[in-house]
Amino acid sequence: MNLDSNQAAAVNSRAKNVMVIATAGAGKTRVLVERALRLVCEGERGIVVVTFTNAAAGEVIRRLKDVCGKLSGGILHVGTLHAFMLKLIVEHADCIPYPNQIAVLDAEQSRAVLDDAIAAQRYRGTLRSVKEAVARGPLRYFRNAPAADNGKVWAGDELVAVEYYRRMREGGLLDYDTILELGLDVLRKRGCACKHLLCDEVQDSGPMDWN
């Protein structure tokens, strides 16, 4: 694949951290794929390629297979950050406060669970306040599970958050933010074989993604 001088410099750089800044359609994803291919050809392992969407992941996989014929054993993962974190959660289910069988809820489904939690607690505050409490994440409420579950240390919007995560945990249900938080917890506890992290569309990442 033909690369211009700037693209080739990014692909072949031996720097620990490389950032490519360019306009839409300038070939950033092509650079990412070529850098992954260079690492594969050099026998590197522990390569993780993170994309912003499943469609982008499919395109990266297709390009890699076009050259390699199949995904190299050196590549641990190609897909979204949520997919990567979910993979870690499934592989290390013993170290998270959830059942072994889990299911992922979309935004509409998780909102329904939140509405049920609000009703169960007869909460009369604002939805914004509840969402802020929920956004603090399940580990805030369940690291000391008995204290959290009996409701003695929480009040108001946090009681709704405890009820929300209790329902999610008992049902083995994960929302998108919980996937990131529990996946990060797994990384901290167990580590990862990732040696090379390549991220596409990193400008679209949020604070939790950066963590």
Side-chain angles (χ1 to χ4, degrees), residues 7 15 21 26 45 71 135:
Q7 291 172 330
I21 302 174
R45 306 189 68 81
L71 284 185

Side-chain angles (χ1 to χ4, degrees), residues 84-141:
F84 179 53
M85 290 301 200
L86 185 59
K87 179 180 178 181
L88 291 175
I89 290 170
V90 171
E91 291 176 350
H92 302 279
D94 60 304
C95 70
I96 64 170
Y98 265 67
N100 288 333
Q101 297 297 319
I102 58 176
V104 178
L105 301 187
D106 61 24
E108 182 177 351
Q109 292 168 324
S110 59
R111 172 60 190 273
V113 177
L114 180 60
D115 288 342
D116 289 343
I118 291 172
Q121 292 297 322
R122 298 180 181 178
Y123 180 70
R124 295 294 181 266
T126 66
L127 180 61
R128 177 179 178 180
S129 181
V130 167
K131 286 185 174 181
E132 288 175 351
V134 169
R136 296 177 190 128
L139 297 182
R140 168 180 170 82
Y141 304 105

Side-chain angles (χ1 to χ4, degrees), residues 82 86 89 98 103-107 109-111 134-135 137-138 164-165 168 172-182:
H82 286 87
L86 185 59
I89 290 170
Y98 265 67
V104 178
L105 301 187
D106 61 24
Q109 292 168 324
S110 59
R111 172 60 190 273
V134 169
Y164 171 77
Y165 284 119
M168 295 288 278
L173 308 174
L174 299 173
D175 61 27
Y176 295 141
D177 287 344
T178 302
I179 290 173
L180 296 183
E181 181 168 2
L182 294 183

Side-chain angles (χ1 to χ4, degrees), residues 1-12 20 22 26-27 30-31:
M1 184 177 292
N2 294 326
L3 302 171
D4 64 29
S5 58
N6 289 327
Q7 291 172 330
V11 168
N12 297 311
V20 176
R30 180 172 62 177
V31 168

Side-chain angles (χ1 to χ4, degrees), residues 10-25:
V11 168
N12 297 311
S13 174
R14 302 291 167 169
K16 182 177 180 180
N17 298 308
V18 177
M19 178 176 287
V20 176
I21 302 174
T23 59

